[in-house]
Amino acid sequence: MRPIVSHLHLPNKTTYTYNTMIKTHLSNSKSIPALEIFITMKRNGVTCDNYTYPMVLKACKMIRGLCEGKQVHGEIVKLGFFDSDGFVRNGLIGMYCKCRQMSCSRALFDCFHEKDLVSWNLMVSGYVECGDIVEAQKVFDEMPERDVVSWTIMIDGYGKKIGDVSRARLLFDKMHKRDVVTWNIMIDSYTKVGDMVAARDLFDRMQHKSLTTWSIVINGYSQHQNPKEALNVFSLMLSYDIMPDKFCVVGAISSCAQLGALDQGRWIHMYIKKKKITLDVVVNTALMDMYMKCGSTEEARAVFSGMSEKNVVSWNVMISGLGANGFADESLTYFSQMERERIQVDDLVYVSVLSACSHGGFVTKGLEIFRRIRNPKVEHYGCLIDLLVRAGRLEQALSFIASMPMEANKDLWGSVLLGCRVQRNVSLGEFVLNKLKEVGGDDCGVYVLMSNIYAANGMWEEVMKMRKILVEKGVVKESGKSVIEVVDGGVVEFVCGQQLQNRKEDMERVLWSLSNMVDLE
């Protein structure tokens, strides 16, 4: 067993006392202290029983301690618990499954003559966790009996682990009895693949929803670009007097960020404070991101300065948000502070600070920061190319592209083409267009840009050629969309081309809101 230093001195304690202490530590997810108690128990010569070993094996499982588990296994065999106690045998199977030693688990499982339902479920779960859904299905099919847990494990395996929601739904529909966990896993499986229609259908049919259920649907809508519906579900939740947890509010806050719904975001912030929902680093970071994306940098700064705990994501939101809102100088100041405090700078932070340099036109500083990156990724080169292009240094941008250890993608070449548009550089634009064709990035927008470059230089025949290509590609302009936050706290969406009579109620809400604003002034 790996050395676990134990300074405990617990003489004259009974087996029951030690077992109670081990159980208490495990219930608080303290696996190392639980193992320390076990070591002390052995040193003091106290007898271990069939209650001790399942708990010790659980502690080994929690830390994925295969070496420790094997030593405990040897001790169990010596003492004869291996053949006489089902709890101990299941503890061994569970430990090996968690350590991804399925051959060991299977050998133990196969040699047991009296397997119980727990043994079967452990094997199915082990194969699912290891990604072997085929073997999991074989064991599931062989089971003499199944409970809700058995079905739920398989639904989770098909739905969330490998994304085969059709197979997961077949199993779900076959179940005679389902619990909340089963419903949540099936709904979550649909959200993972972006099928929010199916997820919502199950959500609406579910009679007893847990906080996890609400959180899954709210975050599902938010993550799949339907923030308005995410906020509708959040409002529905509040209308039922259900107290949201931090996962629900984070989904709602993120939706406000996507919509630019500042007033609604502020209301949620006040609601969190009023209801004393935990303002941990995740919630605070979501609030900062929302305020930044809504343009309220002062409120974002206030949240950041009031945080007792900050992580690298918090710093990144601050740096990227300030850069995007036109405070490139301040963004660089926060980056310098981050370095002074010796906080590990990751790839995303470098992307954010280089982007801030690009927005601020700080070419020298951007080049200096870029050279600090040990292994720059294509995203870092993208930010640098954008910085140089915005500064009009197209030749230098091409030089960096040529020096890249990886192939330039369509986004990098697209940035250069945009620079060609600004500088009316036809020859370089044509060169870049050919590069975009090579990487499959010659979409309609590229030809529009090239057409504009030709037009700026009075090359009308070439403009007509570009327009002909666009016609051949069947250009269909994507419908424009506007989102308006109205006075009563709602959010109204207008899409270009929709018949106004179909949005009569929405129009009336907007007009009512505008008239209220005039009255307030």
Side-chain angles (χ1 to χ4, degrees):
M1 189 173 288
R2 73 180 71 165
I4 299 174
V5 180
S6 178
H7 303 290
L8 298 172
H9 301 285
L10 303 169
N12 304 320
K13 300 292 183 183
T14 65
T15 301
Y16 174 80
T17 306
Y18 279 102
N19 285 348
T20 301
M21 289 189 289
I22 293 171
K23 183 179 180 181
T24 302
H25 283 302
L26 286 177
S27 64
N28 292 309
S29 300
K30 296 179 179 178
S31 52
I32 298 296
L35 289 173
E36 289 179 342
I37 297 287
F38 173 67
I39 293 170
T40 305
M41 185 179 184
K42 299 288 295 177
R43 285 176 181 168
N44 290 342
V46 179
T47 303
C48 299
D49 59 16
N50 58 342
Y51 291 102
T52 310
Y53 288 109
M55 291 190 294
V56 173
L57 288 167
K58 183 179 179 181
C60 295
K61 184 169 72 171
M62 288 168 68
I63 63 169
R64 301 198 177 190
L66 180 60
C67 180
E68 293 86 346
K70 283 182 175 180
Q71 292 183 52
V72 175
H73 185 176
E75 192 172 308
I76 287 168
V77 172
K78 287 180 184 177
L79 295 173
F81 287 114
F82 181 79
D83 297 315
S84 62
D85 194 279
F87 289 108
V88 175
R89 292 198 301 264
N90 286 335
L92 283 168
I93 292 177
M95 183 274 296
Y96 282 118
C97 284
K98 194 68 175 180
C99 295
R100 295 180 174 272
Q101 300 293 311
M102 292 308 298
S103 58
C104 295
S105 298
R106 190 58 187 259
L108 289 170
F109 178 79
D110 287 342
C111 75
F112 297 161
H113 298 297
E114 296 181 3
K115 305 175 182 72
D116 60 14
L117 185 56
V118 175
S119 311
W120 287 94
N121 283 342
L122 283 169
M123 287 304 300
V124 175
S125 178
Y127 281 122
V128 165
E129 286 297 320
C130 291
D132 192 348
I133 196 70
V134 174
E135 200 61 37
Q137 183 68 59
K138 287 180 183 178
V139 177
F140 181 79
D141 291 339
E142 293 170 8
M143 292 180 73
E145 61 172 321
R146 303 177 185 124
D147 62 1
V148 174
V149 174
S150 316
W151 290 89
T152 302
I153 291 168
M154 289 303 299
I155 291 168
D156 182 59
Y158 279 113
K160 290 170 64 178
K161 295 294 191 299
I162 67 171
D164 188 349
V165 291
S166 298
R167 191 66 181 270
R169 183 60 185 267
L170 284 173
L171 291 171
F172 181 83
D173 289 339
K174 285 181 181 179
M175 292 181 70
H176 298 295
K177 183 181 179 182
R178 310 179 186 105
D179 61 10
V180 174
V181 176
T182 313
W183 282 89
N184 286 346
I185 286 175
M186 193 64 244
I187 293 170
D188 200 19
S189 297
Y190 279 124
T191 66
K192 289 288 187 294
V193 298
D195 190 349
M196 291 307 300
V197 174
R200 183 59 182 269
D201 176 62
L202 285 181
F203 175 79
D204 290 338
R205 286 167 49 193
M206 193 174 173
Q207 291 184 345
H208 303 290
K209 302 173 179 69
S210 65
L211 270 177
T212 303
T213 317
W214 290 95
S215 175
I216 288 169
V217 174
I218 291 168
N219 283 284
Y221 278 124
S222 179
Q223 290 162 12
H224 292 289
Q225 286 71 56
N226 195 346
K228 184 183 175 187
E229 196 56 37
L231 290 175
N232 287 340
V233 175
F234 183 72
S235 298
L236 180 66
M237 180 184 184
L238 298 185
S239 71
Y240 290 141
D241 291 326
I242 299 170
M243 174 73 74
D245 60 7
K246 71 173 188 176
F247 301 106
C248 295
V249 297
V250 165
I253 294 164
S254 299
S255 299
C256 292
Q258 291 178 52
L259 289 168
L262 179 58
D263 288 340
Q264 203 155 354
R266 282 172 175 157
W267 184 90
I268 293 172
H269 192 178
M270 289 188 290
Y271 178 86
I272 291 169
K273 290 180 178 178
K274 181 180 177 181
K275 298 298 183 180
K276 297 182 180 178
I277 298 170
T278 305
L279 274 164
D280 63 5
V281 64
V282 176
V283 178
N284 275 319
T285 301
L287 284 167
M288 282 171 52
D289 184 58
M290 181 271 296
Y291 283 127
M292 283 294 186
K293 286 176 178 172
C294 291
S296 183
T297 55
E298 281 301 316
E299 287 172 290
R301 291 185 189 94
V303 172
F304 184 79
S305 62
M307 291 172 67
S308 57
E309 178 192 358
K310 302 179 180 75
N311 59 20
V312 67
V313 181
S314 313
W315 285 93
N316 186 42
V317 168
M318 202 66 188
I319 292 166
S320 63
L322 288 169
N325 279 286
F327 298 93
D329 280 324
E330 194 176 351
S331 178
L332 292 173
T333 300
Y334 275 96
F335 177 70
S336 299
Q337 183 183 344
M338 188 179 180
E339 290 186 311
R340 284 196 304 273
E341 295 185 16
R342 299 185 181 280
I343 298 165
Q344 187 67 40
V345 178
D346 64 10
D347 287 340
L348 287 176
V349 174
Y350 277 122
V351 167
S352 297
V353 74
L354 286 172
S355 180
C357 289
S358 182
H359 286 299
F362 304 139
V363 178
T364 304
K365 187 66 177 178
L367 288 167
E368 176 198 326
I369 291 170
F370 180 82
R371 293 187 181 103
R372 293 187 215 169
I373 307 172
R374 291 184 180 179
N375 297 301
K377 308 288 190 303
V378 68
E379 294 82 10
H380 302 126
Y381 278 102
C383 292
L384 183 67
I385 300 306
D386 184 61
L387 169 64
L388 294 171
V389 166
R390 283 172 182 253
R393 301 187 183 187
L394 297 183
E395 294 300 326
Q396 192 174 4
L398 288 174
S399 176
F400 267 103
I401 289 176
S403 69
M404 286 171 58
M406 72 285 289
E407 288 292 323
N409 60 25
K410 61 181 181 180
D411 295 326
L412 269 69
W413 289 117
S415 293
V416 179
L417 188 62
L418 195 60
C420 295
R421 163 72 178 88
V422 174
Q423 295 194 12
R424 302 182 180 184
N425 192 323
V426 174
S427 59
L428 184 55
E430 291 174 337
F431 169 78
V432 173
L433 179 60
N434 287 327
K435 288 292 183 181
L436 282 163
K437 288 178 182 178
E438 290 175 13
V439 297
D442 57 330
D443 58 18
C444 300
V446 166
Y447 288 103
V448 170
L449 264 179
M450 198 65 228
S451 174
N452 290 338
I453 294 171
Y454 285 134
N457 287 275
M459 302 170 67
W460 303 112
E461 288 186 13
E462 301 302 324
V463 170
M464 293 307 296
K465 287 180 182 179
M466 292 298 104
R467 289 185 179 176
K468 185 178 179 182
I469 292 172
L470 288 171
V471 171
E472 290 171 354
K473 283 181 170 285
V475 178
V476 178
K477 186 177 179 182
E478 186 178 343
S479 296
K481 182 169 68 174
S482 297
V483 178
I484 301 173
E485 187 176 15
V486 294
V487 171
D488 63 0
V491 175
V492 180
E493 214 171 56
F494 294 92
V495 179
C496 180
Q498 283 186 338
Q499 294 296 318
L500 290 180
Q501 56 264 33
N502 295 336
R503 304 305 301 269
K504 182 173 182 291
E505 187 178 323
D506 291 336
M507 289 292 292
E508 287 175 350
R509 289 181 68 198
V510 173
L511 290 171
W512 177 81
S513 300
L514 289 172
S515 65
N516 275 7
M517 291 171 67
V518 171
D519 291 341
L520 288 172
E521 291 175 356

